[in-house]
Amino acid sequence: MGVVPIRHHFLLVLLSAAARSQVNPEMCRYPLGMTGGQILDEDISASSQWSESTAARFGRLDFDNGDGDGAWCPDVMSESDGLKEYLQVDLRSLHFLTLVGTQGRHADGMGNEFAQRYRIRYSRDGTHWVAWQDRKGRQVIEGNRNPYDVVLKDLEPPIIARYVRFMPVTDHSMIVCMRVELYGCQWLDGLMWYSAPEGHQMIYRGLDVYLNDSVYDGVASDRLTKGLGLLTDGTWGLDDFLHSPIYGMWPGYDYVGWTNKSFPRGYVEMVFDFDHVRNFTSMKVHCSNMFSRGVKLFRQASCFFRSQGEWEGEPVSFKPPADRVSQGARFVTVPLGGRTASAIKCRFHFSDLWMLISEVAFQSGSAVYNTSLTPRKRGHPTNALPGEDPTHKVDDSNTRILIGCLVAIIAILSAIIVIILWRQVWQKMLEKASRRMLDDELTARLAVQTQAFSFLRSSSSSSSTSSSSEEEGEEEEGGGREGEGGGSSGSSTYERIFPLSADYQEPSRLIRKLPEFAQSAENLSASRSARLLLQQGVGPDAGAPHYAEADIISLQDGPGSASSCSSIAAFSLLAGREATVREFPRDRLSFQEKLGEGQFGEVHLCEAEGMQDFLDEDAPSVERSSGGAPLLVAVKTLREDANKNARNDFLKEIRIMSRLRDPNIVRLLAVCVDTDPLCMITEYMENGDLNQFLHQLQLGEGPPTTEEEVEEEVVGNIVSYRKLMSMAVQIASGMKYLSSLNFVHRDLATRNCLVGRSCTIKIADFGMSRNLYRGDYYRIQGRAVLPIRWMSWESILLGKFTMASDVWAFAVTLWEILTLCQEQPYCQFSDEQVIENTGEFFRDQGKQVYLPKPACCPGDVYTDLMLSCWRRNAKQRPSFQEIHCRLMETQRSMLASA
Ligand code: AMP
């Protein structure tokens, strides 16, 4: 009995160790010193220069003065395909690069040269050069549109290199000039390349699962040599290897996998070569363990070492504990016993038919990835540059300064540890308080206090009849932390918030660039809603709009008018309802399978024994099992390490859902909140989320012809247009219900709708963001994650969420449905371009780009419905009542003509 918990504890320790020593692409985004000057002039070179005053050393982003002409400009380029001219940066050691920034030559209005497109090449050793390409194989990067704005591009996949070349691409003979910056962190693993057998293709239930190393940058044939790839890209595969955390990738994308049928010796051999001789403490291998599909962790790893010449005879062997309980993917730490080597050869022994690895990381000496916000410093150029900080100068020969720095670092670390411990104690106390609150609240059937439902924090001051002061205190506290920025440990961990460079184009900056905004904000401030927004820090001079909470602005005269009708009044409608959600005995739930993973934690399919006694009379949409047999339910669990914000949001979702009763809204059946982990039990929707459901379908040609087809409408993987319309009608109906309660969903999208039997659609997810769909969300500096591709212009630019902005999102959702979720909305645009397009919606000068008409969409549905939902003036958008009516009419006319 005692073995299992100890083993789990052991695995947890390994996992947390992995987190500390693993490069984290989301944190590893520090400017490496083109702007700041840490990269020396002598490390910047170029293929050619137009003149001495446009030499390579002037190619520093955001650096315009000095004796140069404002940027690096190569000699006149003739029909360059981007392969001849380059600006080269030597980082002096290997770095993990996640982002690049480019700018043209502005020179205080004198210059107007910039690179509209460019390529990147990189090298780890200075001789072997690789052309960077994105995950879909595209090499050319969209660059600048004017000489002054900084354009940032995420490198997906990231680059591990010492030398980087920026290579402008032009179509015709023109002068281009560039200023650049690289963002990332030092590559502490020191791994130069790995070699391994190329991954295999798995067929799983008729689905092709490609387990090859698709981003390997060396020589790829039967054996991969001299390169790095998926195993070092900093992205770990999900538990379910068929899905990828990266949008639009094929099944198995994140893993390299092999079947034991091709390895008669029973193991896969991989060789790792490093930049120099190192003292290795451990290797971390991220593996899948989906034993139900024949995939297991390796049984044993044996590693040989080589400093020079021959491999040493004595290997280090390690057997991870076999885990037949959890199918979760995990890091396995292989201790390497402090062995010294510049190359390591490891044999990973199969323990089942398949072995899948998504990441390998090495720890040597004292190399631990820096999680502080201070970028690496490495000396300064001789000429003074803006932002230069003399205290950061490092004199390598001065050991006393070094020792002083070390002592200071130790002191800072100790201080951080004390603060973290103090925070933990404090957090526990707060959690206890909020648990007490929750118990009281649920006993009172979750609905006694009207204002418990008010999310509009800024209105709390005006709501004298407000909710329990305890709860208000919590809300305000959360808001305060958000304002502090992404570095704060108080921000939700599940909201991926992180600091970016000061040049990052967040929406509020874009607002300031719009001259018309000042006027319109003044007009807006006359209304109460605008006052609220301004209180929240939104306005021409304020920081980023306040998005982080579920603000609800009720509508006074229908959709579009965010006006004086207070949110509290709006919610009294909801709060007044009896919310009868009861505590369900946890031991009557028996686990069947994992359904998915969301922001709060895992979602499981369970059998709930005796659930019938817990259901309301009015639970018609839940299929009751006959004869007292257990009911299948979905159980959403709050992960055990969730912080206070996540916990509060989870409870909020419970409160919201407990009050919603509609055939097209997912029904909350019961909760388990007496003990941890907190769970909410909802009806089970057997076809999962609508996005994935549609993604695997194809549109049938023409209307259904046979009786069965008319009845079924999803036959095999063919779906009829009529069925798609019926899905849209159901969502419109659910939204009509929400709008009758003045409830703003804020994240309507196919990923947040679930599909039950016979294509019943129900709206779910009253929180925001999911791991699986992280590409759908845009991260704002120090703020929340935002589904910008579904958001109206006023939500993005003003932080205003209304029923009319839900209407906007509905039209995007309809577009997704009619394109069968084959691509993300505006997939041809980067996040920054989507926000620029939002600016065009605001200006309304006919330059805004609309989502195109889906091929199967009748012209009138597109022009009369979709386009009307994307009108600039929110008051002119249709209400959900109207949308529902129009879609019903379309459906009726389809039936009549069938
Ligand atoms: P969520 O935490 O709501 O984002 O859910 C994560 C994933 O779990 C979704 O993508 C669904 O595939 C699955 N899921 C959530 N709720 C249900 C449900 N009621 N029935 C079936 N699958 C669900």
Side-chain angles (χ1 to χ4, degrees):
M1 281 290 281
V3 176
V4 174
I6 289 170
R7 186 183 294 157
H8 277 98
H9 180 71
F10 175 69
L11 287 174
L12 273 178
V13 171
L14 291 186
L15 254 170
S16 59
R20 268 184 283 122
S21 58
Q22 184 70 36
V23 65
N24 177 354
E26 310 228 330
M27 289 301 294
C28 172
R29 296 166 78 90
Y30 309 121
L32 295 180
M34 287 295 277
T35 306
Q38 295 85 358
I39 294 172
L40 303 180
D41 282 352
E42 67 209 44
D43 292 332
I44 310 170
S45 54
S47 53
S48 70
Q49 62 197 41
W50 172 247
S51 66
E52 186 48 35
S53 58
T54 59
R57 66 178 185 282
F58 299 111
R60 296 174 182 274
L61 187 126
D62 256 350
F63 179 57
D64 215 351
N65 47 11
D67 52 358
D69 211 3
W72 162 71
C73 316
D75 212 348
V76 173
M77 301 182 67
S78 48
E79 293 293 328
S80 174
D81 51 2
L83 297 174
K84 186 165 158 265
E85 302 295 347
Y86 60 81
L87 173 67
Q88 176 175 317
V89 182
D90 175 3
L91 295 164
R92 293 281 181 102
S93 62
L94 290 180
H95 278 72
F96 190 88
L97 305 171
T98 52
L99 193 70
V100 287
T102 57
Q103 209 177 8
R105 189 179 83 93
H106 187 228
D108 288 332
M110 305 288 286
N112 190 28
E113 299 84 17
F114 50 93
Q116 291 180 355
R117 294 178 304 146
Y118 64 97
R119 295 171 197 262
I120 286 182
R121 283 195 172 192
Y122 62 92
S123 171
R124 288 188 272 278
D125 56 8
T127 52
H128 175 64
W129 289 88
V130 181
W132 178 83
Q133 47 187 22
D134 71 11
R135 296 193 187 271
K136 293 193 172 150
R138 292 171 293 218
Q139 290 189 7
V140 176
I141 302 173
E142 289 300 317
N144 298 88
R145 300 230 184 123
N146 59 48
Y148 42 85
D149 277 333
V150 174
V151 172
L152 296 171
K153 289 289 165 193
D154 277 301
L155 294 174
E156 280 278 356
I159 290 174
I160 296 166
R162 170 178 163 173
Y163 304 91
V164 180
R165 284 180 180 171
F166 290 82
M167 313 178 85
V169 180
T170 72
D171 302 334
H172 47 82
S173 181
M174 64 175 277
I175 299 177
V176 292
C177 298
M178 289 186 92
R179 287 178 284 168
V180 303
E181 179 62 286
L182 293 158
Y183 302 82
C185 57
Q186 235 169 334
W187 176 234
L188 298 179
D189 286 42
L191 185 61
M192 294 279 278
W193 47 73
Y194 60 77
S195 70
E198 178 56 299
H200 298 149
Q201 184 180 340
M202 175 196 279
I203 311 282
Y204 177 72
R205 295 194 180 161
L207 186 72
D208 290 325
V209 185
Y210 297 98
L211 298 167
N212 59 326
D213 196 336
S214 57
V215 299
Y216 192 72
D217 63 8
V219 181
S221 58
D222 282 355
R223 191 164 176 93
L224 309 168
T225 49
K226 293 264 167 195
L228 297 176
L230 282 179
L231 301 189
T232 50
D233 70 350
T235 303
W236 315 329
L238 298 176
D239 292 351
D240 181 351
F241 57 85
L242 297 182
H243 297 301
S244 167
I246 305 165
Y247 190 85
M249 289 300 153
W250 52 88
Y253 175 78
D254 305 285
Y255 286 93
V256 184
W258 306 271
T259 160
N260 68 7
K261 288 185 190 146
S262 313
F263 297 91
R265 290 187 186 165
Y267 60 77
V268 169
E269 187 173 275
M270 297 175 71
V271 179
F272 304 93
D273 279 281
F274 296 85
D275 50 357
H276 55 75
V277 175
R278 289 166 173 258
N279 235 348
F280 288 96
T281 43
S282 61
M283 169 176 70
K284 295 182 169 63
V285 188
H286 189 260
C287 317
S288 166
N289 194 42
M290 288 228 87
F291 47 78
S292 60
R293 295 179 191 162
V295 179
K296 271 202 200 130
L297 305 179
F298 53 87
R299 176 171 54 78
Q300 176 179 333
S302 306
C303 296
F304 298 79
F305 299 82
R306 185 179 69 194
S307 295
Q308 298 156 340
E310 296 294 304
W311 292 104
E312 290 166 18
E314 183 77 0
V316 166
S317 292
F318 174 76
K319 291 186 180 172
D323 182 356
R324 292 190 188 81
V325 181
S326 164
Q327 303 221 56
R330 80 263 334 249
F331 270 101
V332 177
T333 301
V334 178
L336 296 179
R339 294 280 289 266
T340 307
S342 64
I344 302 178
K345 177 168 72 181
C346 291
R347 293 175 178 163
F348 298 98
H349 294 258
F350 285 93
S351 53
D352 208 328
L353 182 60
W354 285 91
M355 180 160 64
L356 270 56
I357 298 182
S358 79
E359 199 74 7
V360 180
F362 289 88
Q363 236 195 328
S364 55
S366 57
V368 174
Y369 281 95
N370 183 11
T371 48
S372 85
L373 302 181
T374 318
R376 165 195 72 96
K377 300 281 177 191
R378 202 195 56 215
H380 285 254
T382 43
N383 52 336
L385 291 166
E388 188 178 40
D389 179 357
T391 59
H392 285 135
K393 279 202 170 129
V394 176
D395 179 355
D396 288 341
S397 64
N398 195 333
T399 19
R400 269 187 306 169
I401 294 181
L402 273 179
I403 292 169
C405 289
L406 281 175
V407 171
I409 290 169
I410 292 168
I412 292 169
L413 284 177
S414 323
I416 291 172
I417 291 168
V418 170
I419 292 170
I420 290 172
L421 290 175
W422 182 81
R423 281 191 66 95
Q424 276 177 351
V425 172
W426 188 235
Q427 211 163 344
K428 279 215 174 100
M429 283 164 61
L430 284 172
E431 270 174 9
K432 269 192 194 149
S434 67
R435 275 298 301 281
R436 256 203 321 274
M437 237 178 60
L438 170 79
D439 290 346
D440 295 349
E441 206 178 357
L442 285 169
T443 341
R445 288 184 300 169
L446 295 136
V448 185
Q449 295 158 348
T450 308
Q451 287 75 12
F453 228 92
S454 167
F455 295 107
L456 195 57
R457 216 174 311 131
S458 45
S459 69
S460 62
S461 56
S462 61
S463 59
S464 53
T465 56
S466 70
S467 59
S468 80
S469 57
E470 233 178 322
E471 169 140 354
E472 249 178 32
E474 272 186 48
E475 299 273 325
E476 271 160 22
E477 197 183 331
R481 273 197 307 272
E482 276 144 16
E484 281 163 23
S488 151
S489 57
S491 55
S492 302
T493 49
Y494 60 92
E495 284 182 346
R496 296 180 160 263
I497 294 169
F498 59 98
L500 297 167
S501 99
D503 305 308
Y504 204 71
Q505 302 236 351
E506 56 179 275
S508 63
R509 284 179 155 232
L510 281 153
I511 299 172
R512 272 179 243 130
K513 280 192 202 153
L514 305 173
E516 315 87 317
F517 176 76
Q519 182 57 43
S520 106
E522 261 171 40
N523 298 341
L524 265 171
S525 66
S527 75
R528 176 180 143 73
S529 63
R531 270 203 312 282
L532 290 175
L533 290 167
L534 289 168
Q535 276 167 21
Q536 290 166 13
V538 179
D541 298 313
H546 177 93
Y547 301 101
E549 257 303 333
D551 299 9
I552 292 150
I553 296 170
S554 65
L555 305 179
Q556 191 174 34
D557 355 283
S561 68
S563 61
S564 59
C565 179
S566 85
S567 63
I568 293 167
F571 265 93
S572 58
L573 271 170
L574 278 172
R577 268 160 196 268
E578 288 286 284
T580 53
V581 173
R582 292 164 58 189
E583 176 77 17
F584 189 76
R586 212 176 270 275
D587 55 2
R588 291 210 223 151
L589 290 172
S590 62
F591 172 81
Q592 301 295 309
E593 67 179 69
K594 182 175 160 183
L595 291 173
E597 191 158 357
Q599 66 185 59
F600 294 121
E602 296 190 343
V603 182
H604 295 146
L605 173 65
C606 293
E607 278 185 354
E609 207 183 300
M611 176 55 89
Q612 286 77 0
D613 306 337
F614 287 76
L615 297 181
D616 284 350
E617 276 310 303
D618 68 331
S621 57
V622 176
E623 294 202 23
R624 289 158 182 276
S625 51
S626 56
L631 187 73
L632 281 176
V633 292
V635 179
K636 195 187 272 194
T637 313
L638 179 66
R639 63 170 61 92
E640 295 201 15
D641 62 350
N643 66 12
K644 187 175 141 261
N645 281 359
R647 193 182 179 92
N648 282 346
D649 287 355
F650 191 80
L651 297 176
K652 252 180 219 164
E653 190 163 354
I654 289 182
R655 268 183 257 138
I656 294 171
M657 290 186 72
S658 66
R659 291 161 168 87
L660 301 178
R661 278 153 173 57
D662 183 81
N664 296 112
I665 305 284
V666 167
R667 186 68 167 260
L668 181 68
L669 304 177
V671 292
C672 301
V673 290
D674 272 357
T675 53
D676 277 339
L678 305 185
C679 298
M680 58 175 102
I681 305 173
T682 62
E683 57 183 309
Y684 168 52
M685 302 294 286
E686 60 191 36
N687 285 310
D689 75 61
L690 180 59
N691 187 285
Q692 288 190 48
F693 179 71
L694 288 177
H695 191 76
Q696 60 186 1
L697 297 182
Q698 281 173 12
L699 192 67
E701 284 169 19
T705 45
T706 65
E707 192 84 338
E708 291 75 38
E709 277 179 12
V710 173
E711 280 304 305
E712 282 286 328
E713 289 173 294
V714 178
V715 182
N717 68 342
I718 306 291
V719 64
S720 67
Y721 168 69
R722 198 174 109 185
K723 196 75 205 169
L724 294 181
M725 267 299 156
S726 120
M727 292 175 185
V729 168
Q730 293 182 63
I731 297 173
S733 172
M735 289 308 295
K736 192 172 85 174
Y737 167 76
L738 291 183
S739 69
S740 72
L741 303 173
N742 278 318
F743 179 86
V744 183
H745 186 286
R746 298 176 28 129
D747 196 10
L748 181 62
T750 53
R751 64 180 171 274
N752 290 334
C753 298
L754 294 169
V755 188
R757 199 171 292 173
S758 311
C759 290
T760 317
I761 311 289
K762 301 197 183 204
I763 300 164
D765 263 281
F766 298 86
M768 264 195 167
S769 117
R770 293 208 211 151
N771 290 345
L772 184 58
Y773 295 101
R774 81 175 178 195
D776 289 349
Y777 293 84
Y778 174 79
R779 291 158 289 205
I780 292 187
Q781 184 172 15
R783 301 280 172 170
V785 284
L786 294 177
I788 51 169
R789 289 161 201 271
W790 284 257
M791 279 165 67
S792 65
W793 71 266
E794 73 274 10
S795 301
I796 294 178
L797 296 182
L798 302 175
K800 201 160 104 177
F801 291 86
T802 62
M803 218 58 72
S805 58
D806 271 358
V807 164
W808 182 296
F810 173 81
V812 182
T813 309
L814 177 59
W815 182 91
E816 285 187 279
I817 292 174
L818 296 178
T819 54
L820 294 175
C821 298
Q822 292 307 304
E823 52 190 42
Q824 204 184 20
Y826 296 111
C827 68
Q828 77 279 22
F829 284 2
S830 66
D831 284 349
E832 287 74 19
Q833 286 168 333
V834 170
I835 292 171
E836 275 172 37
N837 192 35
T838 301
E840 296 299 346
F841 272 103
F842 171 72
R843 290 192 195 95
D844 205 19
Q845 291 167 344
K847 291 189 192 153
Q848 63 272 45
V849 178
Y850 292 90
L851 287 170
K853 183 176 92 59
C856 71
C857 179
D860 57 335
V861 173
Y862 182 67
T863 46
D864 296 351
L865 190 60
M866 275 194 209
L867 292 183
S868 68
C869 295
W870 297 324
R871 284 187 186 139
R872 183 189 186 280
N873 185 342
K875 283 184 184 163
Q876 290 174 0
R877 294 176 204 153
S879 65
F880 278 112
Q881 179 97 29
E882 285 163 340
I883 293 174
H884 185 242
C885 266
R886 278 196 216 173
L887 287 172
M888 293 279 281
E889 265 168 36
T890 312
Q891 237 191 354
R892 267 195 293 274
S893 56
M894 261 176 348
L895 281 177
S897 61

